[in-house]
Amino acid sequence: MQRLGFVGLGNLGRHLAASLLEAGFPLTVNDRDEAAAASLVEAGAVWAASPKGVAAASDSVFTCLPSPKVVEDVLCGDDGVLEGLSAGGTWIDSSTNDRHELLRLAEVAAALGVRTLEAPVTGGVHLAASGQITVLVGGDADVFAEHLPAFEAIGGKVFYIGSLGSASVIKVITNMLAFIHLVAAGEALMLAKQGGLDLAQSFEVIKASSGTSFVHETESQVILNGSYDIGFTMDLACKDLGFAHELGEEFGVPLELASLVQDTFLRAREEYGGTAWSPMVVKLLEDAVGADLRAPGFPAQIIA
């Protein structure tokens, strides 16, 4: 089996890495916080002290990182992936990245004989934990086919989108829709609350209606619980909405609704901080109305 590396063991990455390990791939891992790798090392992964060390021990290296700047540092910086990965190896970026930055870094890698795939994932941390998240892959079709067993190990559905950069576009689109749905779900629940309806029943009615969404069926639950814990931060949401705004400008598509939602998230980040969970965007509405959205029987976290 391919020797795989994984750099970036945050809320999402640690689950993707665990799925690769469970599928039997020899796995070497690194994160800036060594404690994040503890459970993986206990399960058989090998810790490396740097991204370079991960790459030197691997045929292909996954990265799952919070921003384009961090991706660049991990790939190209001192003791970075490209210092350790041999010619013919593959860098696979599962971050939600800027398309143009991804293409630029792929050129840097290609000059060293390293191939690039993008493999962002969508569906939420709970699906990553169960190995059922959706994987979106862009890059050379032959390189994709070579790594298909790894993608099938981390995801329930794997889509080959096309050339490098194409998966970044559809990933941004799916995230944009999720954030729009999140704000809409909060407004719907608040209307139900202020209308004197039972919120638990209202959740079920919406779920069974034409107005339902994946976001309502998952994130509305942690809102009704009050934890807001979906494993995805306000900083990440604002970053991804910024990517959507940039795509709209680049492609000449007016994104009126997405722009309104972006403004709402920026206000929420200013109010609650960048590390707040993204569903706390709904707390802006709760605070404005002076009423919380709580109902008994809903979980603090979503488990697939």
Side-chain angles (χ1 to χ4, degrees), residues 33 64 85 129 132 139 150 155 167 264:
D33 177 12
C64 188
L85 199 55
Q132 293 301 308
T264 303

Side-chain angles (χ1 to χ4, degrees), residues 126 200 203-204 207 215-231 277 279 293-304:
H126 66 293
F203 170 84
E204 295 295 342
K207 182 178 176 181
V215 169
H216 169 69
E217 294 175 15
T218 54
E219 299 191 36
S220 287
Q221 294 194 59
V222 297
I223 292 168
L224 291 168
N225 172 273
S227 75
Y228 304 99
D229 183 359
I230 205 66
W277 297 127
L293 296 170
R294 303 292 176 266
F298 289 92
Q301 293 180 317
I302 302 301
I303 299 174

Side-chain angles (χ1 to χ4, degrees), residues 17 41 43 80 118 144 146 152 160 191 195 217 258:
V41 172
E118 56 177 339
F144 163 70
E146 181 182 328
E152 289 178 335
Y160 175 63
L191 281 175
E217 294 175 15

Side-chain angles (χ1 to χ4, degrees), residues 87-294:
T90 306
W91 166 50
I92 306 168
D93 191 23
S94 289
S95 317
T96 302
N97 206 347
D98 174 77
R99 181 172 66 107
H100 296 292
E101 179 66 359
L102 172 75
L103 294 173
R104 183 186 73 80
L105 292 176
E107 289 183 359
V108 174
L112 299 173
V114 172
R115 307 171 301 176
T116 299
L117 290 174
E118 56 177 339
V121 296
T122 184
V125 170
H126 66 293
L127 290 182
S130 66
Q132 293 301 308
I133 203 163
T134 296
V135 187
L136 312 169
V137 186
D140 183 86
D142 291 339
V143 184
F144 163 70
E146 181 182 328
H147 291 83
L148 182 57
F151 297 136
E152 289 178 335
I154 63 178
K157 293 181 180 179
V158 178
F159 292 93
Y160 175 63
I161 307 301
S163 60
L164 195 66
S166 58
S168 292
V169 175
I170 192 63
K171 174 59 193 298
V172 168
I173 290 169
T174 65
N175 279 16
M176 178 189 76
L177 284 169
F179 302 134
I180 290 171
H181 292 164
L182 177 55
V183 172
E187 292 183 356
L189 290 171
M190 187 58 77
L191 281 175
K193 167 86 173 186
Q194 296 304 95
L197 304 183
D198 178 272
L199 281 178
Q201 184 184 59
S202 296
F203 170 84
E204 295 295 342
V205 170
I206 295 170
K207 182 178 176 181
S209 77
S210 59
T212 194
S213 67
F214 178 85
V215 169
H216 169 69
E217 294 175 15
T218 54
E219 299 191 36
S220 287
Q221 294 194 59
V222 297
I223 292 168
L224 291 168
N225 172 273
S227 75
Y228 304 99
D229 183 359
I230 205 66
F232 195 86
T233 67
M234 203 71 72
D235 274 340
L236 293 174
C238 290
K239 178 201 70 171
D240 294 350
L241 283 163
F243 288 157
H245 180 77
E246 291 169 4
L247 288 179
E249 289 190 336
E250 180 179 351
F251 300 151
V253 179
L255 301 178
E256 295 182 10
L257 188 53
S259 294
L260 288 172
V261 169
Q262 182 183 26
D263 289 343
T264 303
F265 269 90
L266 290 171
R267 287 193 292 113
R269 181 172 66 176
E270 183 176 353
E271 185 71 21
Y272 309 119
T275 60
W277 297 127
S278 57
M280 282 191 73
V281 69
V282 173
K283 195 172 187 304
L284 286 176
L285 185 58
E286 292 178 301
D287 291 349
V289 174
D292 60 38
L293 296 170
R294 303 292 176 266

